[in-house]
mmCIF file of all heavy atoms in Angstrom:
data_model
loop_
_atom_site.group_PDB
_atom_site.id
_atom_site.type_symbol
_atom_site.label_atom_id
_atom_site.label_comp_id
_atom_site.label_asym_id
_atom_site.label_seq_id
_atom_site.Cartn_x
_atom_site.Cartn_y
_atom_site.Cartn_z
ATOM 1 N N ASP A 40 85.725 94.414 23.190
ATOM 2 C CA ASP A 40 85.397 93.722 21.935
ATOM 3 C C ASP A 40 83.865 93.340 22.003
ATOM 4 O O ASP A 40 83.246 93.168 20.968
ATOM 5 C CB ASP A 40 86.205 92.480 21.788
ATOM 6 C CG ASP A 40 87.617 92.806 21.605
ATOM 7 O OD1 ASP A 40 88.037 93.333 20.624
ATOM 8 O OD2 ASP A 40 88.474 92.374 22.593
ATOM 9 N N ALA A 41 83.328 93.243 23.215
ATOM 10 C CA ALA A 41 81.915 93.035 23.210
ATOM 11 C C ALA A 41 81.407 93.409 24.702
ATOM 12 O O ALA A 41 82.194 93.516 25.727
ATOM 13 C CB ALA A 41 81.482 91.505 23.196
ATOM 14 N N VAL A 42 80.158 93.851 24.761
ATOM 15 C CA VAL A 42 79.541 94.308 25.983
ATOM 16 C C VAL A 42 78.262 93.520 26.208
ATOM 17 O O VAL A 42 77.489 93.537 25.274
ATOM 18 C CB VAL A 42 79.313 95.876 26.076
ATOM 19 C CG1 VAL A 42 78.735 96.125 27.465
ATOM 20 C CG2 VAL A 42 80.541 96.658 25.736
ATOM 21 N N ILE A 43 78.144 92.736 27.270
ATOM 22 C CA ILE A 43 77.063 91.901 27.451
ATOM 23 C C ILE A 43 76.363 92.214 28.797
ATOM 24 O O ILE A 43 77.083 92.427 29.794
ATOM 25 C CB ILE A 43 77.474 90.422 27.520
ATOM 26 C CG1 ILE A 43 78.153 90.093 26.248
ATOM 27 C CG2 ILE A 43 76.194 89.484 27.709
ATOM 28 C CD1 ILE A 43 78.782 88.654 26.276
ATOM 29 N N GLY A 44 75.073 92.430 28.863
ATOM 30 C CA GLY A 44 74.329 92.637 30.117
ATOM 31 C C GLY A 44 73.030 93.373 29.881
ATOM 32 O O GLY A 44 72.604 93.432 28.793
ATOM 33 N N ASP A 45 72.496 93.822 30.973
ATOM 34 C CA ASP A 45 71.224 94.504 30.817
ATOM 35 C C ASP A 45 71.310 95.991 30.627
ATOM 36 O O ASP A 45 70.298 96.700 30.364
ATOM 37 C CB ASP A 45 70.292 94.235 31.999
ATOM 38 C CG ASP A 45 70.945 94.728 33.373
ATOM 39 O OD1 ASP A 45 71.808 95.519 33.261
ATOM 40 O OD2 ASP A 45 70.431 94.107 34.337
ATOM 41 N N PHE A 46 72.500 96.532 30.631
ATOM 42 C CA PHE A 46 72.909 97.860 30.274
ATOM 43 C C PHE A 46 72.302 98.888 31.223
ATOM 44 O O PHE A 46 72.091 100.055 30.896
ATOM 45 C CB PHE A 46 72.540 98.197 28.801
ATOM 46 C CG PHE A 46 73.411 97.511 27.861
ATOM 47 C CD1 PHE A 46 74.370 96.526 28.224
ATOM 48 C CD2 PHE A 46 73.194 97.677 26.467
ATOM 49 C CE1 PHE A 46 75.055 95.941 27.333
ATOM 50 C CE2 PHE A 46 73.905 96.978 25.537
ATOM 51 C CZ PHE A 46 74.871 96.090 25.909
ATOM 52 N N ASP A 47 71.978 98.442 32.523
ATOM 53 C CA ASP A 47 71.522 99.455 33.406
ATOM 54 C C ASP A 47 72.619 100.249 34.092
ATOM 55 O O ASP A 47 72.289 101.131 34.933
ATOM 56 C CB ASP A 47 70.648 98.754 34.444
ATOM 57 C CG ASP A 47 71.269 97.780 35.329
ATOM 58 O OD1 ASP A 47 72.571 97.485 35.018
ATOM 59 O OD2 ASP A 47 70.750 97.258 36.300
ATOM 60 N N SER A 48 73.903 99.954 33.895
ATOM 61 C CA SER A 48 74.998 100.567 34.511
ATOM 62 C C SER A 48 75.803 101.390 33.576
ATOM 63 O O SER A 48 76.765 101.998 33.998
ATOM 64 C CB SER A 48 75.959 99.536 35.179
ATOM 65 O OG SER A 48 75.233 98.800 36.162
ATOM 66 N N LEU A 49 75.442 101.416 32.292
ATOM 67 C CA LEU A 49 76.064 102.232 31.331
ATOM 68 C C LEU A 49 75.438 103.478 31.058
ATOM 69 O O LEU A 49 74.308 103.532 30.651
ATOM 70 C CB LEU A 49 76.288 101.445 30.002
ATOM 71 C CG LEU A 49 77.405 100.509 29.837
ATOM 72 C CD1 LEU A 49 77.314 99.750 28.441
ATOM 73 C CD2 LEU A 49 78.759 101.212 29.881
ATOM 74 N N THR A 50 76.174 104.644 31.223
ATOM 75 C CA THR A 50 75.646 105.892 30.974
ATOM 76 C C THR A 50 75.565 106.177 29.487
ATOM 77 O O THR A 50 76.288 105.560 28.663
ATOM 78 C CB THR A 50 76.464 106.995 31.686
ATOM 79 O OG1 THR A 50 77.697 107.066 31.116
ATOM 80 C CG2 THR A 50 76.556 106.858 33.141
ATOM 81 N N GLY A 51 74.799 107.085 29.101
ATOM 82 C CA GLY A 51 74.546 107.403 27.620
ATOM 83 C C GLY A 51 75.943 107.743 26.943
ATOM 84 O O GLY A 51 76.231 107.258 25.780
ATOM 85 N N THR A 52 76.716 108.497 27.637
ATOM 86 C CA THR A 52 78.027 108.943 27.114
ATOM 87 C C THR A 52 78.965 107.711 26.731
ATOM 88 O O THR A 52 79.488 107.632 25.591
ATOM 89 C CB THR A 52 78.867 109.818 28.064
ATOM 90 O OG1 THR A 52 78.002 110.992 28.383
ATOM 91 C CG2 THR A 52 80.125 110.322 27.444
ATOM 92 N N TYR A 53 79.125 106.780 27.688
ATOM 93 C CA TYR A 53 79.941 105.584 27.342
ATOM 94 C C TYR A 53 79.206 104.729 26.278
ATOM 95 O O TYR A 53 79.895 104.200 25.523
ATOM 96 C CB TYR A 53 80.147 104.869 28.698
ATOM 97 C CG TYR A 53 81.161 105.511 29.589
ATOM 98 C CD1 TYR A 53 80.738 106.352 30.611
ATOM 99 C CD2 TYR A 53 82.588 105.278 29.330
ATOM 100 C CE1 TYR A 53 81.802 106.977 31.412
ATOM 101 C CE2 TYR A 53 83.432 105.858 30.211
ATOM 102 C CZ TYR A 53 83.084 106.718 31.191
ATOM 103 O OH TYR A 53 84.027 107.327 32.007
ATOM 104 N N LEU A 54 77.925 104.594 26.463
ATOM 105 C CA LEU A 54 77.208 103.697 25.572
ATOM 106 C C LEU A 54 77.361 104.181 24.140
ATOM 107 O O LEU A 54 77.497 103.400 23.259
ATOM 108 C CB LEU A 54 75.688 103.702 25.972
ATOM 109 C CG LEU A 54 74.787 102.550 25.386
ATOM 110 C CD1 LEU A 54 75.419 101.142 25.733
ATOM 111 C CD2 LEU A 54 73.433 102.664 25.957
ATOM 112 N N GLU A 55 77.340 105.449 23.942
ATOM 113 C CA GLU A 55 77.368 106.056 22.544
ATOM 114 C C GLU A 55 78.650 105.826 21.936
ATOM 115 O O GLU A 55 78.819 105.813 20.721
ATOM 116 C CB GLU A 55 77.076 107.537 22.666
ATOM 117 C CG GLU A 55 75.580 107.837 22.988
ATOM 118 C CD GLU A 55 75.359 109.298 23.323
ATOM 119 O OE1 GLU A 55 76.396 110.046 23.316
ATOM 120 O OE2 GLU A 55 74.300 109.651 23.680
ATOM 121 N N ARG A 56 79.775 105.690 22.779
ATOM 122 C CA ARG A 56 81.018 105.440 22.216
ATOM 123 C C ARG A 56 81.404 104.052 21.756
ATOM 124 O O ARG A 56 82.418 103.786 21.053
ATOM 125 C CB ARG A 56 82.145 105.846 23.295
ATOM 126 C CG ARG A 56 82.092 107.290 23.607
ATOM 127 C CD ARG A 56 82.780 107.739 24.858
ATOM 128 N NE ARG A 56 84.361 107.422 24.746
ATOM 129 C CZ ARG A 56 85.161 107.673 25.777
ATOM 130 N NH1 ARG A 56 84.764 108.046 26.965
ATOM 131 N NH2 ARG A 56 86.436 107.426 25.553
#
Side-chain angles (χ1 to χ4, degrees):
D40 297 294
V42 183
I43 303 171
D45 56 21
F46 294 0
D47 64 351
S48 300
L49 272 178
T50 64
T52 302
Y53 285 96
L54 194 58
E55 291 167 2
R56 295 167 63 182

